[in-house]
Amino acid sequence: MRCKNFKFRENYSSDMSSSYLTHGFHSYTAKFIPHIPRYFIEKYTHEGEIVLDPFAGSGTTLLEANLLGRHSLGIDINPLAVIIGKAKTTPIKKQKLDQAQEKLFKQLSKSFKSEIPDFPNIKYWFDENSIKELSKIKNAINELYENDEIDKSVKTFFDVCFSSIIRKSSFADPFNPKTYCSPRMRKLKEEGHKFNPIQYFKNSVIRNSKQVSMLNDSLKGKKVKTYFIPTNNTLDIKLPSWSKKVDLIVTSPPYANAQEYFRNFKLELFWLNLVDRESLLKLDKNQIGGENHAALNYKTLQKTGYNDIDKIIRNLFLNNKKSSYIVYKYFFNMEKGIREYRRVLKKGGHCIIVIGNNTVRGVRIPISKTLIEIARNNGFKLHDYGYDLIQNRKFMTKRNNDADVIEKDWIIDLIRV
């Protein structure tokens, strides 16, 4: 099969911005461009059918499905991703948002005592004024909700606007996905730089309110459902009662030796009370492709049963047993996931996997080719295969000295047999 360059931006919806409507609500590490799911949703489904993204991230696939008149299902282990996805896909009428915004801004103009959160190293990442103003925003949102002055959808919208300005209000470098106080930010800290969280928040609400109102107009007449499967477990998919099977899967799984999603967003997760220290460590441990594994697991060599990747796992084991186990566990879990995708996907339905081939300990891991082999062994056949060059994506340049920059998204188009 010929490997092709899809060139999604040039060939499909070339006039579409990657951040149009609510896609630009909140930055999220390694999210793919909306052109990719839009192309496959239009190609393989009809209005009223169901699209699943088992690694939904911040909801790119789900929003594109809704805009095209399809129902959407999402799963993600990161609770921050779930609330971003819900805010991005929930239309709210302009009048309702304007009224809520007026109430909230009026509340923020008052003087009131705000409860200060307690989480690890808060005073390292935030100065006293930022802590005070962020606490005031958070408490104002919660008070309006508790007093029934705003509903759940509006609260989620305000929470996401709040989350979107937390990094900007801190000494974590806003140009690095990792929560990292760079030399540039340390200098600002030493110079007593002041942030303006309340103003940042107001700007975010005003800007994003316009996008939500436009989304509301775009979805008029489209009776679509968006549902985040609450188990957050892509290895055990529990479809809602109204969905016996799905018509299409479009997803972008993490890599082996995954991006540090929870560490990258720990400040937002703590401020929104979505995690505590213990649950953050648990999420980090349970993510597919993660590095957090007990030493007992990698004392002995593990095998996937696929010869090419097992050779790599064996060679890694000679140099670094933990890295060997990380790669093994990644493909072990991805095989379980692919079996689940076949179970919930209708016969003849397409499963689109968008993935990068990354490097572990200086060894290139052929993720895309291995996933094709796994899929063929578990009830899928390969329909199409190619790549799309990554442009202007918010990636970490390198995870460590043995890693490299991922330059291509590999597109695997599978059919369930």
Side-chain angles (χ1 to χ4, degrees):
M1 179 178 292
R2 184 177 65 87
C3 175
K4 66 184 181 185
N5 183 353
F6 278 95
K7 295 183 180 179
F8 286 103
R9 293 172 189 79
E10 297 176 29
N11 296 335
Y12 318 111
S13 304
S14 59
D15 59 340
M16 185 171 74
S17 164
S18 294
S19 58
Y20 84 103
L21 290 180
T22 54
H23 280 300
F25 254 26
H26 195 298
S27 63
Y28 199 79
T29 305
K31 65 180 180 180
F32 62 2
I33 58 173
H35 308 63
I36 298 176
R38 173 170 282 262
Y39 169 72
F40 289 109
I41 292 167
E42 287 186 315
K43 186 173 183 179
Y44 293 135
T45 65
H46 300 94
E47 287 193 19
E49 294 188 330
I50 302 170
V51 180
L52 166 69
D53 188 343
F55 293 99
S58 61
T60 301
T61 296
L62 310 188
L63 178 56
E64 285 303 307
N66 291 168
L67 290 169
L68 292 168
R70 281 68 163 170
H71 305 298
S72 60
L73 301 174
I75 304 171
D76 206 277
I77 191 174
N78 188 343
L80 178 63
V82 172
I83 70 161
I84 296 171
K86 287 180 177 179
K88 280 171 61 171
T89 55
T90 302
I92 306 173
K93 291 181 179 178
K94 184 179 185 301
Q95 183 181 7
K96 183 178 179 181
L97 265 183
D98 288 346
Q99 291 172 349
Q101 176 184 307
E102 184 179 353
K103 290 177 184 178
L104 181 56
F105 287 4
K106 186 176 180 180
Q107 186 78 354
L108 290 173
S109 67
K110 298 177 182 178
S111 295
F112 59 90
K113 188 176 181 180
S114 300
E115 182 182 347
I116 306 295
D118 179 24
F119 61 77
N121 302 316
I122 185 172
K123 291 184 178 179
Y124 173 79
W125 296 110
F126 301 91
D127 65 18
E128 186 176 340
N129 182 66
S130 286
I131 293 173
K132 180 181 177 181
E133 290 200 6
L134 288 169
S135 298
K136 189 172 186 178
I137 296 166
K138 177 184 174 183
N139 281 272
I141 295 169
N142 289 340
E143 187 172 318
L144 288 177
Y145 180 63
E146 288 163 5
N147 292 337
D148 293 325
E149 294 186 63
I150 58 174
D151 64 19
K152 185 67 174 176
S153 65
V154 175
K155 180 183 185 298
T156 300
F157 168 76
F158 284 146
D159 281 342
V160 171
C161 291
F162 174 58
S163 177
S164 74
I165 60 99
I166 287 171
R167 175 67 69 97
K168 188 177 181 180
S169 305
S170 77
F171 289 109
D173 195 317
F175 300 107
N176 191 324
K178 186 177 180 180
T179 306
Y180 166 61
C181 186
S182 64
R184 181 177 70 89
M185 299 306 292
R186 285 198 294 270
K187 185 178 180 182
L188 290 178
K189 197 173 187 180
E190 291 165 4
E191 293 171 349
H193 178 79
K194 297 298 180 185
F195 303 96
N196 299 290
I198 289 178
Q199 189 57 54
Y200 302 156
F201 175 71
K202 287 182 177 179
N203 293 343
S204 178
V205 169
I206 292 167
R207 181 181 64 251
N208 289 333
S209 291
K210 293 177 182 176
Q211 303 307 108
V212 170
S213 297
M214 290 170 64
L215 174 67
N216 186 69
D217 294 340
S218 297
L219 289 178
K220 276 183 180 176
K222 294 183 173 71
K223 297 180 179 180
V224 293
K225 300 176 184 176
T226 302
Y227 182 76
F228 280 85
I229 297 173
T231 58
N232 298 330
N233 186 357
T234 189
L235 305 182
D236 182 20
I237 300 173
K238 292 179 171 57
L239 297 177
S241 58
W242 49 270
S243 173
K244 293 181 180 179
K245 293 281 183 180
V246 302
D247 299 284
L248 172 68
I249 296 173
V250 184
T251 195
S252 181
Y255 315 113
N257 201 29
Q259 289 284 337
E260 298 174 305
Y261 293 99
F262 302 111
R263 297 176 198 174
N264 291 351
F265 292 110
K266 67 181 181 180
L267 301 181
E268 292 85 350
L269 288 162
F270 281 135
W271 269 104
L272 288 171
N273 289 340
L274 295 173
V275 299
D276 54 25
R277 181 182 290 184
E278 184 178 337
S279 60
L280 182 67
L281 290 172
K282 186 177 180 181
L283 286 170
D284 193 40
K285 182 178 179 180
N286 289 338
Q287 70 170 322
I288 291 177
E291 298 178 338
N292 192 347
H293 298 287
L296 182 65
N297 290 332
Y298 50 84
K299 285 179 70 175
T300 57
L301 176 65
Q302 302 290 336
K303 297 180 181 180
T304 66
Y306 296 93
N307 292 332
D308 289 344
I309 199 64
D310 280 344
K311 288 177 184 177
I312 292 173
I313 291 169
R314 184 167 58 251
N315 290 335
L316 280 171
F317 187 79
L318 298 175
N319 299 309
N320 188 287
K321 293 180 180 179
K322 182 177 181 180
S323 295
S324 172
Y325 182 79
I326 288 169
V327 175
Y328 154 75
K329 189 65 174 179
Y330 173 79
F331 287 110
F332 173 83
N333 281 329
M334 285 304 300
E335 181 157 34
K336 287 180 69 175
I338 285 170
R339 288 171 183 158
E340 278 293 280
Y341 308 159
R342 186 182 188 278
R343 181 180 66 81
V344 301
L345 183 64
K346 72 175 185 181
K347 188 174 182 180
H350 287 254
C351 174
I352 313 301
I353 298 177
V354 182
I355 192 68
N357 295 324
N358 65 315
T359 300
V360 176
R361 293 285 167 180
V363 178
R364 193 71 168 169
I365 310 299
I367 297 179
S368 57
K369 289 184 178 180
T370 306
L371 291 183
I372 290 171
E373 187 179 0
I374 289 172
R376 282 172 164 162
N377 198 44
N378 286 277
F380 286 94
K381 66 179 181 180
L382 183 64
H383 178 73
D384 207 354
Y385 181 61
Y387 65 90
D388 188 57
L389 294 177
I390 294 171
Q391 301 174 19
N392 301 320
R393 293 272 292 278
K394 195 171 182 182
F395 272 100
M396 222 173 294
T397 53
K398 287 189 178 185
R399 288 290 309 278
N400 52 55
N401 291 333
D402 298 311
D404 63 0
V405 179
I406 298 171
E407 298 177 342
K408 295 177 181 178
D409 273 330
W410 288 95
I411 317 297
I412 306 168
D413 181 354
L414 305 163
I415 296 180
R416 181 197 185 279
V417 294

mmCIF file of all heavy atoms in Angstrom, residues 109-131:
data_model
loop_
_atom_site.group_PDB
_atom_site.id
_atom_site.type_symbol
_atom_site.label_atom_id
_atom_site.label_comp_id
_atom_site.label_asym_id
_atom_site.label_seq_id
_atom_site.Cartn_x
_atom_site.Cartn_y
_atom_site.Cartn_z
ATOM 1 N N SER A 109 -16.295 42.581 41.460
ATOM 2 C CA SER A 109 -16.010 43.971 41.831
ATOM 3 C C SER A 109 -16.200 44.212 43.330
ATOM 4 O O SER A 109 -15.793 45.252 43.854
ATOM 5 C CB SER A 109 -16.910 44.927 41.043
ATOM 6 O OG SER A 109 -18.261 44.783 41.424
ATOM 7 N N LYS A 110 -16.832 43.260 44.006
ATOM 8 C CA LYS A 110 -17.074 43.394 45.445
ATOM 9 C C LYS A 110 -15.861 42.922 46.239
ATOM 10 O O LYS A 110 -15.038 42.152 45.752
ATOM 11 C CB LYS A 110 -18.289 42.557 45.857
ATOM 12 C CG LYS A 110 -19.598 42.966 45.212
ATOM 13 C CD LYS A 110 -20.706 42.015 45.643
ATOM 14 C CE LYS A 110 -22.031 42.357 44.975
ATOM 15 N NZ LYS A 110 -23.101 41.391 45.351
ATOM 16 N N SER A 111 -15.804 43.346 47.479
ATOM 17 C CA SER A 111 -14.778 42.856 48.407
ATOM 18 C C SER A 111 -15.395 41.741 49.243
ATOM 19 O O SER A 111 -16.445 41.933 49.863
ATOM 20 C CB SER A 111 -14.293 43.982 49.329
ATOM 21 O OG SER A 111 -13.646 44.983 48.588
ATOM 22 N N PHE A 112 -14.803 40.580 49.212
ATOM 23 C CA PHE A 112 -15.277 39.491 50.061
ATOM 24 C C PHE A 112 -14.111 38.554 50.360
ATOM 25 O O PHE A 112 -13.129 38.485 49.616
ATOM 26 C CB PHE A 112 -16.443 38.724 49.417
ATOM 27 C CG PHE A 112 -16.129 38.098 48.088
ATOM 28 C CD1 PHE A 112 -15.636 36.804 48.010
ATOM 29 C CD2 PHE A 112 -16.357 38.795 46.908
ATOM 30 C CE1 PHE A 112 -15.358 36.216 46.782
ATOM 31 C CE2 PHE A 112 -16.083 38.224 45.677
ATOM 32 C CZ PHE A 112 -15.582 36.930 45.613
ATOM 33 N N LYS A 113 -14.228 37.843 51.445
ATOM 34 C CA LYS A 113 -13.163 36.942 51.867
ATOM 35 C C LYS A 113 -13.214 35.665 51.040
ATOM 36 O O LYS A 113 -14.254 35.023 50.925
ATOM 37 C CB LYS A 113 -13.307 36.617 53.352
ATOM 38 C CG LYS A 113 -12.133 35.838 53.920
ATOM 39 C CD LYS A 113 -12.279 35.625 55.416
ATOM 40 C CE LYS A 113 -11.080 34.852 55.968
ATOM 41 N NZ LYS A 113 -11.199 34.637 57.437
ATOM 42 N N SER A 114 -12.085 35.317 50.441
ATOM 43 C CA SER A 114 -12.026 34.125 49.582
ATOM 44 C C SER A 114 -11.216 33.031 50.251
ATOM 45 O O SER A 114 -10.174 33.293 50.857
ATOM 46 C CB SER A 114 -11.388 34.475 48.234
ATOM 47 O OG SER A 114 -12.125 35.460 47.577
ATOM 48 N N GLU A 115 -11.715 31.808 50.118
ATOM 49 C CA GLU A 115 -10.980 30.668 50.649
ATOM 50 C C GLU A 115 -9.766 30.390 49.772
ATOM 51 O O GLU A 115 -9.879 30.269 48.554
ATOM 52 C CB GLU A 115 -11.890 29.441 50.680
ATOM 53 C CG GLU A 115 -11.230 28.213 51.270
ATOM 54 C CD GLU A 115 -12.144 26.999 51.256
ATOM 55 O OE1 GLU A 115 -13.356 27.178 51.021
ATOM 56 O OE2 GLU A 115 -11.632 25.879 51.471
ATOM 57 N N ILE A 116 -8.592 30.305 50.400
ATOM 58 C CA ILE A 116 -7.347 30.061 49.674
ATOM 59 C C ILE A 116 -7.108 28.558 49.583
ATOM 60 O O ILE A 116 -7.144 27.864 50.603
ATOM 61 C CB ILE A 116 -6.141 30.728 50.382
ATOM 62 C CG1 ILE A 116 -6.401 32.216 50.605
ATOM 63 C CG2 ILE A 116 -4.858 30.499 49.594
ATOM 64 C CD1 ILE A 116 -6.514 33.025 49.354
ATOM 65 N N PRO A 117 -6.887 28.030 48.387
ATOM 66 C CA PRO A 117 -6.651 26.576 48.278
ATOM 67 C C PRO A 117 -5.308 26.179 48.879
ATOM 68 O O PRO A 117 -4.405 27.009 49.026
ATOM 69 C CB PRO A 117 -6.669 26.339 46.771
ATOM 70 C CG PRO A 117 -6.258 27.634 46.174
ATOM 71 C CD PRO A 117 -6.815 28.695 47.079
ATOM 72 N N ASP A 118 -5.203 24.932 49.207
ATOM 73 C CA ASP A 118 -3.960 24.413 49.777
ATOM 74 C C ASP A 118 -3.486 23.254 48.908
ATOM 75 O O ASP A 118 -4.088 22.187 48.911
ATOM 76 C CB ASP A 118 -4.199 23.938 51.218
ATOM 77 C CG ASP A 118 -2.931 23.364 51.860
ATOM 78 O OD1 ASP A 118 -1.830 23.737 51.404
ATOM 79 O OD2 ASP A 118 -3.045 22.542 52.788
ATOM 80 N N PHE A 119 -2.446 23.489 48.128
ATOM 81 C CA PHE A 119 -1.866 22.400 47.345
ATOM 82 C C PHE A 119 -0.350 22.588 47.290
ATOM 83 O O PHE A 119 0.164 23.668 47.595
ATOM 84 C CB PHE A 119 -2.502 22.298 45.958
ATOM 85 C CG PHE A 119 -2.360 23.493 45.063
ATOM 86 C CD1 PHE A 119 -1.170 23.769 44.393
ATOM 87 C CD2 PHE A 119 -3.435 24.356 44.866
ATOM 88 C CE1 PHE A 119 -1.051 24.857 43.551
ATOM 89 C CE2 PHE A 119 -3.322 25.447 44.022
ATOM 90 C CZ PHE A 119 -2.120 25.695 43.359
ATOM 91 N N PRO A 120 0.385 21.550 46.909
ATOM 92 C CA PRO A 120 1.849 21.570 47.013
ATOM 93 C C PRO A 120 2.491 22.741 46.269
ATOM 94 O O PRO A 120 2.201 22.991 45.105
ATOM 95 C CB PRO A 120 2.274 20.233 46.395
ATOM 96 C CG PRO A 120 1.089 19.349 46.542
ATOM 97 C CD PRO A 120 -0.105 20.242 46.427
ATOM 98 N N ASN A 121 3.352 23.476 46.966
ATOM 99 C CA ASN A 121 4.204 24.534 46.387
ATOM 100 C C ASN A 121 3.425 25.684 45.755
ATOM 101 O O ASN A 121 3.922 26.336 44.831
ATOM 102 C CB ASN A 121 5.165 23.938 45.340
ATOM 103 C CG ASN A 121 6.060 22.860 45.920
ATOM 104 O OD1 ASN A 121 6.602 23.019 47.015
ATOM 105 N ND2 ASN A 121 6.191 21.753 45.207
ATOM 106 N N ILE A 122 2.240 25.972 46.259
ATOM 107 C CA ILE A 122 1.434 27.033 45.660
ATOM 108 C C ILE A 122 2.166 28.371 45.678
ATOM 109 O O ILE A 122 2.100 29.156 44.730
ATOM 110 C CB ILE A 122 0.051 27.137 46.361
ATOM 111 C CG1 ILE A 122 -0.827 28.167 45.625
ATOM 112 C CG2 ILE A 122 0.184 27.472 47.828
ATOM 113 C CD1 ILE A 122 -2.274 28.213 46.105
ATOM 114 N N LYS A 123 2.924 28.639 46.750
ATOM 115 C CA LYS A 123 3.608 29.931 46.867
ATOM 116 C C LYS A 123 4.892 29.987 46.042
ATOM 117 O O LYS A 123 5.466 31.063 45.869
ATOM 118 C CB LYS A 123 3.897 30.246 48.327
ATOM 119 C CG LYS A 123 2.623 30.531 49.118
ATOM 120 C CD LYS A 123 2.903 30.943 50.550
ATOM 121 C CE LYS A 123 1.602 31.257 51.273
ATOM 122 N NZ LYS A 123 1.840 31.653 52.689
ATOM 123 N N TYR A 124 5.330 28.846 45.526
ATOM 124 C CA TYR A 124 6.450 28.844 44.593
ATOM 125 C C TYR A 124 5.977 29.265 43.201
ATOM 126 O O TYR A 124 6.656 30.019 42.502
ATOM 127 C CB TYR A 124 7.078 27.444 44.532
ATOM 128 C CG TYR A 124 8.137 27.297 43.459
ATOM 129 C CD1 TYR A 124 9.425 27.778 43.667
ATOM 130 C CD2 TYR A 124 7.842 26.688 42.242
ATOM 131 C CE1 TYR A 124 10.402 27.663 42.681
ATOM 132 C CE2 TYR A 124 8.808 26.558 41.248
ATOM 133 C CZ TYR A 124 10.087 27.044 41.473
ATOM 134 O OH TYR A 124 11.051 26.929 40.495
ATOM 135 N N TRP A 125 4.785 28.793 42.829
ATOM 136 C CA TRP A 125 4.282 29.036 41.486
ATOM 137 C C TRP A 125 3.526 30.357 41.361
ATOM 138 O O TRP A 125 3.438 30.911 40.255
ATOM 139 C CB TRP A 125 3.366 27.890 41.054
ATOM 140 C CG TRP A 125 4.071 26.580 40.945
ATOM 141 C CD1 TRP A 125 3.928 25.501 41.763
ATOM 142 C CD2 TRP A 125 5.043 26.205 39.965
ATOM 143 N NE1 TRP A 125 4.750 24.479 41.364
ATOM 144 C CE2 TRP A 125 5.454 24.884 40.260
ATOM 145 C CE3 TRP A 125 5.617 26.862 38.881
ATOM 146 C CZ2 TRP A 125 6.395 24.210 39.502
ATOM 147 C CZ3 TRP A 125 6.558 26.194 38.123
ATOM 148 C CH2 TRP A 125 6.942 24.877 38.432
ATOM 149 N N PHE A 126 2.961 30.853 42.456
ATOM 150 C CA PHE A 126 2.117 32.050 42.395
ATOM 151 C C PHE A 126 2.538 33.066 43.440
ATOM 152 O O PHE A 126 2.852 32.694 44.574
ATOM 153 C CB PHE A 126 0.646 31.672 42.623
ATOM 154 C CG PHE A 126 0.098 30.688 41.640
ATOM 155 C CD1 PHE A 126 0.157 29.323 41.896
ATOM 156 C CD2 PHE A 126 -0.468 31.108 40.452
ATOM 157 C CE1 PHE A 126 -0.337 28.401 40.985
ATOM 158 C CE2 PHE A 126 -0.969 30.200 39.537
ATOM 159 C CZ PHE A 126 -0.905 28.846 39.796
ATOM 160 N N ASP A 127 2.502 34.351 43.061
ATOM 161 C CA ASP A 127 2.760 35.384 44.056
ATOM 162 C C ASP A 127 1.486 35.630 44.868
ATOM 163 O O ASP A 127 0.411 35.104 44.559
ATOM 164 C CB ASP A 127 3.292 36.670 43.417
ATOM 165 C CG ASP A 127 2.286 37.353 42.498
ATOM 166 O OD1 ASP A 127 1.078 37.062 42.575
ATOM 167 O OD2 ASP A 127 2.720 38.185 41.683
ATOM 168 N N GLU A 128 1.603 36.444 45.894
ATOM 169 C CA GLU A 128 0.492 36.649 46.826
ATOM 170 C C GLU A 128 -0.737 37.240 46.138
ATOM 171 O O GLU A 128 -1.876 36.827 46.391
ATOM 172 C CB GLU A 128 0.953 37.574 47.959
ATOM 173 C CG GLU A 128 -0.077 37.745 49.071
ATOM 174 C CD GLU A 128 0.448 38.593 50.220
ATOM 175 O OE1 GLU A 128 1.679 38.742 50.351
ATOM 176 O OE2 GLU A 128 -0.397 39.111 50.978
ATOM 177 N N ASN A 129 -0.518 38.193 45.232
ATOM 178 C CA ASN A 129 -1.651 38.818 44.553
ATOM 179 C C ASN A 129 -2.373 37.840 43.632
ATOM 180 O O ASN A 129 -3.603 37.829 43.564
ATOM 181 C CB ASN A 129 -1.178 40.032 43.749
ATOM 182 C CG ASN A 129 -2.323 40.745 43.062
ATOM 183 O OD1 ASN A 129 -3.187 41.318 43.712
ATOM 184 N ND2 ASN A 129 -2.350 40.688 41.727
ATOM 185 N N SER A 130 -1.605 37.000 42.914
ATOM 186 C CA SER A 130 -2.234 36.011 42.030
ATOM 187 C C SER A 130 -3.070 35.019 42.826
ATOM 188 O O SER A 130 -4.188 34.665 42.423
ATOM 189 C CB SER A 130 -1.170 35.272 41.219
ATOM 190 O OG SER A 130 -0.647 36.092 40.203
ATOM 191 N N ILE A 131 -2.535 34.574 43.964
ATOM 192 C CA ILE A 131 -3.289 33.634 44.810
ATOM 193 C C ILE A 131 -4.596 34.277 45.266
ATOM 194 O O ILE A 131 -5.671 33.667 45.221
ATOM 195 C CB ILE A 131 -2.443 33.198 46.020
ATOM 196 C CG1 ILE A 131 -1.254 32.348 45.549
ATOM 197 C CG2 ILE A 131 -3.294 32.407 47.016
ATOM 198 C CD1 ILE A 131 -0.260 32.010 46.648
#
